[in-house]
Amino acid sequence: MNYQNSFTKKRIISLFIIIMIGIASIVFKLTYIQFIDYNFINQRALDLWARQVPIYGKRGNIYDRNGQLIVGNQLAPSLAVIPRQVQNKNEVAIFLADVLNTTPQTILNHLNRNVSVELIKPSGRKLSMDQVERILAQNIRGLYLVGDSKRFYPHGSTLAQVLGFTGIDNQGIAGIEFIYDDFLSGQDGSLNIFTDARGNLMDGMMGIYQGGTRGLDISLTIDLNMQLIVENVIRQAVARYRPDQMMVLVTNVRTGEVLSMASYPTFDPANYQNYPQEIYNRNLPIWMSFEPGSTFKIMTYAAGLQEGVFGIDDQFFDPGYRIVNGVRINDWKPGGHGLQTFLEVLQNSCNPGFMEIGERLGTERLFRYIRDFGFGQRTGIDLLGESTGIVFNVDNVGPLELATSAFGQGNSVTPIQLAMAANAAVNGGNLMVPHILRNVQVPGINSVVFEQNPVVRRQVISPEVSRVVASSLEHVTARGTGRGAYIEGFRVGGKTGTAQKVGPDGQYLDNNYILSFLGMAPMNNPEISVYLAIDNPRNTIQFGGVVAAPLVGQIFEQILPLAGVQRQTQDQIERELRWLLDTRYFDVANFVGMDISQIIRNPFFHIEVVGRGQRVLGQLPAAGERVREGGRIILYT
């Protein structure tokens, strides 16, 4: 009996100890969870209850060099749903299908998914305000409008190929938007709401809002006012000449900054899906590769001067052709230009004269300068899609290839290569790396975190030779083939180009040309260059001096004042007028103080009188300025 009582007692004690250990373990675990591991358990619970609705960060803005907005953001909410909260899913699907312009089945596929939160995309992304108002008016349980934005283009298609565009998730896809996506992209946020397993909101649980952040702003070297002027000139030229393609490139001669870059055909970046890829993927000033024609003569001329193979006053006789390896190569002017100086060889764009320069330089030296001026290699501009062009392998260059290369046939170049090379010829000899990013800034405080400085690739010719090239090119617009770009008071220089296009079979096409003009100003201190090329213009004479040069003149006349270039009343080379081709200018007399009856009417310009008096109190333009033939002088009485 005593033995049994003792055994029973021991079992009771053991059971008691086990129970106490269990209770202690539970108390310890609860204490550990409550006071030590509570963050982990709370987070697990929150994760189970939380429904994360995305809030998209905004991209940074894109500005021009003067702080004018080029690309911004516009509120465009997106639609998210918590499927378990949605009742009457068929009715909701029919309603949303009508609002979002899709099918009810597509919406049902979203509503029936076994997920905590579902984005309705693509049809529910970046909604219009009309769509937002229709959804809000129904107050449907389970539908959430989340913060989102879309790119806003205040100037429409302006600068389209340069800017590129963004995708539905605000990611950069092309152009500047893609290249500098790391700077421009914002950080996404979220709205966390808490529901039970049935999707019901949990009492006493407040949502957690974490807003998205905006990306960095960037400023481009582009001058928006210049860009608008350039694109307006392109629109007028397209309406008049109906070309296949057209491009304009404006750069700073000394720094390599791109001030304007435009292509035709163009597109609307807000609706890029509506255009063929060959339009929005081709930024012509850096992508297009073609034989440049006579604009290339700038570099041949500069190389010949640098090597001392001719002087500008040395004479050359042009019979109108040159025989090279038994092949007759004609000049553009039948009968030739006769006896002329090498300065006049450039003025007249004389092909035999440039073949002579090429022969004097020889293959090795000419092609060394071609390479040194940057042809056959990318310029390094901070844009995608740049071509390298094609330059003859020196080992394959014979007398015929040497002759044609000297005046711009045989090798292919890109507009950006040509502009940078010509800039080097007149800016003191420095070949610059072109760039389009100016700086990166923190939004709101305008704190610059990165700034792009000019970069010199190499010096190609001496400053002394460069000054001679600049003066020679001013003679081209005053007395040579580029007179269509001459502007009274602005010292414009440049070179025309008329390049016959090559067909798919490698043969030159008949009556199909790329007409161009490459101009710089002011030639006493070159600052701005403009390169314009127009591909296969209709209803016109096929000469760069007739079509392209006047268009560049229009651009220069409007953008030079924007660049702070003042008109110069002295030292400009007087233009030699061609009968019926060139507009004449006349000095404006001083009419102030004169009686209206004493003023002799001039048949070459119009005089307009404002006021009813007889004595002139003021005039526009002022005395000493010049007015073009057919222009107006306004007299105030």
Side-chain angles (χ1 to χ4, degrees):
M1 184 70 179
N2 290 335
Y3 174 77
Q4 290 180 344
N5 288 340
S6 177
F7 179 74
T8 300
K9 186 177 180 179
K10 288 180 179 180
R11 290 182 67 183
I12 292 172
I13 291 172
S14 298
L15 181 61
F16 177 77
I17 292 172
I18 292 172
I19 291 173
M20 292 305 295
I21 291 174
I23 293 172
S25 298
I26 293 172
V27 171
F28 175 79
K29 184 65 175 179
L30 290 174
T31 302
Y32 180 82
I33 292 172
Q34 184 70 25
F35 296 103
I36 298 176
D37 203 30
Y38 65 93
N39 282 330
F40 174 75
I41 299 300
N42 284 344
Q43 189 59 51
R44 290 288 302 272
L46 290 175
D47 289 343
L48 289 173
W49 302 330
R51 304 293 181 262
Q52 191 177 73
V53 181
I55 296 174
Y56 297 96
K58 291 183 179 180
R59 291 178 71 80
N61 291 340
I62 301 177
Y63 297 96
D64 85 333
R65 64 186 301 109
N66 301 312
Q68 295 190 77
L69 181 67
I70 300 177
V71 184
N73 297 295
Q74 191 173 52
L75 180 63
S78 293
L79 179 63
V81 299
I82 298 180
R84 292 180 181 178
Q85 292 183 351
V86 179
Q87 301 172 349
N88 302 319
K89 291 184 177 180
N90 288 329
E91 293 182 12
V92 172
I94 293 171
F95 166 71
L96 288 180
D98 179 56
V99 174
L100 304 181
N101 193 29
T102 186
T103 65
Q105 186 58 50
T106 300
I107 300 298
L108 272 175
N109 292 339
H110 289 288
L111 298 181
N112 289 328
R113 292 194 65 191
N114 186 25
V115 294
S116 58
V117 176
E118 172 74 355
L119 280 174
I120 308 297
K121 62 180 185 180
S123 58
R125 293 296 305 276
K126 305 185 186 302
L127 304 178
S128 68
M129 289 301 103
D130 178 65
Q131 290 173 310
V132 169
E133 290 173 0
R134 292 179 64 186
I135 293 172
L136 289 175
Q138 296 300 312
N139 194 27
I140 298 173
R141 186 171 180 267
L143 302 190
Y144 294 85
L145 290 166
V146 301
D148 202 352
S149 62
K150 63 182 179 181
R151 283 311 227 178
F152 168 58
Y153 303 91
H155 303 284
S157 63
T158 299
L159 208 66
Q161 276 93 347
V162 173
L163 297 173
F165 44 83
T166 58
I168 197 166
D169 290 320
N170 291 335
Q171 78 279 22
I173 294 179
I176 291 292
E177 296 277 21
F178 175 80
I179 296 167
Y180 294 112
D181 189 58
D182 289 344
F183 288 138
L184 293 166
S185 291
Q187 186 73 35
D188 291 343
S190 64
L191 171 63
N192 289 346
I193 59 177
F194 301 99
T195 70
D196 59 21
R198 296 181 179 179
N200 298 313
L201 293 175
M202 299 183 67
D203 295 334
M205 298 290 289
M206 296 184 63
I208 301 174
Y209 175 82
Q210 182 179 355
T213 60
R214 181 173 143 191
L216 297 173
D217 294 337
I218 66 173
S219 293
L220 305 181
T221 59
I222 295 293
D223 187 309
L224 181 59
N225 294 325
M226 290 186 185
Q227 183 73 25
L228 294 173
I229 289 168
V230 163
E231 296 203 16
N232 184 53
V233 170
I234 288 178
R235 280 192 294 271
Q236 294 176 7
V238 167
R240 180 175 180 181
Y241 297 117
R242 298 185 295 109
D244 295 337
Q245 300 179 109
M246 185 174 176
M247 56 73 47
V248 177
L249 177 63
V250 182
T251 60
N252 184 304
V253 172
R254 296 192 291 267
T255 66
E257 293 175 298
V258 176
L259 302 176
S260 175
M261 182 180 281
S263 303
Y264 168 82
T266 188
F267 69 100
D268 177 8
N271 299 288
Y272 70 92
Q273 306 93 331
N274 300 332
Y275 298 83
Q277 289 188 17
E278 56 266 25
I279 291 181
Y280 60 70
N281 278 340
R282 293 177 180 175
N283 187 2
L284 297 182
I286 65 170
W287 176 85
M288 191 176 180
S289 180
F290 56 97
E291 294 185 9
S294 295
T295 50
F296 192 84
K297 293 173 180 175
I298 297 172
M299 279 55 74
T300 303
Y301 189 82
L305 284 174
Q306 181 68 36
E307 292 297 313
V309 300
F310 71 90
I312 61 172
D313 294 324
D314 293 347
Q315 292 189 326
F316 171 79
F317 182 81
D318 170 29
Y321 64 92
R322 191 177 181 93
I323 305 295
V324 180
N325 260 21
V327 177
R328 179 183 172 117
I329 303 176
N330 293 320
D331 192 11
W332 65 269
K333 181 181 179 182
H337 295 90
L339 188 63
Q340 56 189 335
T341 65
F342 274 95
L343 174 60
E344 291 171 326
V345 165
L346 181 67
Q347 286 178 194
N348 299 325
S349 197
C350 172
N351 286 347
F354 278 91
M355 286 186 271
E356 175 69 20
I357 296 174
E359 185 176 317
R360 293 184 186 184
L361 281 169
T363 300
E364 183 179 339
R365 283 197 292 183
L366 176 60
F367 276 82
R368 173 164 53 84
Y369 277 96
I370 289 174
R371 294 287 181 181
D372 285 349
F373 272 115
F375 298 107
Q377 55 205 284
R378 292 184 177 90
T379 64
I381 189 171
D382 48 340
L383 288 170
L384 293 180
E386 182 182 8
S387 300
T388 60
I390 302 174
V391 174
F392 284 128
N393 186 322
V394 177
D395 295 335
N396 299 327
V397 173
L400 189 60
E401 289 78 16
L402 174 64
T404 59
S405 295
F407 63 81
Q409 274 191 357
N411 299 305
S412 72
V413 307
T414 65
I416 190 69
Q417 288 175 341
L418 198 58
M420 290 300 104
N423 288 353
V426 300
N427 71 3
N430 293 320
L431 182 66
M432 306 301 297
V433 176
H435 63 278
I436 201 162
L437 177 69
R438 192 162 186 253
N439 59 46
V440 181
Q441 306 170 15
V442 179
I445 61 176
N446 296 325
S447 175
V448 175
V449 297
F450 173 79
E451 187 156 12
Q452 179 65 58
N453 296 313
V455 176
V456 180
R457 292 178 67 183
R458 68 181 71 91
Q459 184 160 5
V460 186
I461 60 175
S462 69
E464 294 76 20
V465 168
S466 180
R467 283 191 289 271
V468 176
V469 175
S471 174
S472 300
L473 291 174
E474 187 176 3
H475 280 77
V476 174
T477 59
R479 300 176 180 178
T481 57
R483 277 176 279 194
Y486 185 92
I487 305 172
E488 194 73 27
F490 288 127
R491 297 179 61 179
V492 176
K495 188 71 191 72
T496 55
T498 304
Q500 198 170 7
K501 291 169 61 177
V502 178
D505 58 356
Q507 301 298 313
Y508 287 104
L509 302 174
D510 292 330
N511 300 316
N512 197 329
Y513 297 86
I514 295 177
L515 308 183
S516 61
F517 185 81
L518 177 50
M520 311 89 171
M523 297 316 288
N524 57 319
N525 186 22
E527 184 175 343
I528 306 294
S529 72
V530 177
Y531 179 61
L532 179 148
I534 182 167
D535 182 1
N536 193 27
R538 276 82 168 177
N539 307 318
T540 184
I541 300 173
Q542 298 293 314
F543 286 112
V546 175
V547 176
L551 294 174
V552 172
Q554 290 180 37
I555 293 172
F556 266 131
E557 195 158 18
Q558 297 176 77
I559 70 172
L560 288 177
L562 293 178
V565 177
Q566 302 294 321
R567 288 186 181 269
Q568 303 179 43
T569 57
Q570 297 179 343
D571 299 327
Q572 184 175 22
I573 300 172
E574 192 70 28
R575 179 169 58 166
E576 290 183 357
L577 295 173
R578 296 166 296 181
W579 183 252
L580 298 178
L581 291 177
D582 297 320
T583 302
R584 291 181 293 177
Y585 284 79
F586 299 90
D587 293 326
V588 177
N590 186 4
F591 297 104
V592 176
M594 294 181 63
D595 191 279
I596 291 296
S597 61
Q598 298 176 325
I599 297 174
I600 301 174
R601 304 285 174 166
N602 191 310
F604 300 112
F605 51 80
H606 306 288
I607 294 179
E608 180 179 334
V609 178
V610 177
R612 299 182 178 180
Q614 290 298 309
R615 188 168 297 277
V616 178
L617 302 178
Q619 68 181 68
L620 189 70
E625 294 188 20
R626 292 168 70 82
V627 62
R628 70 173 63 211
E629 185 175 6
R632 290 189 307 164
I633 297 176
I634 303 175
L635 304 180
Y636 299 92
T637 64

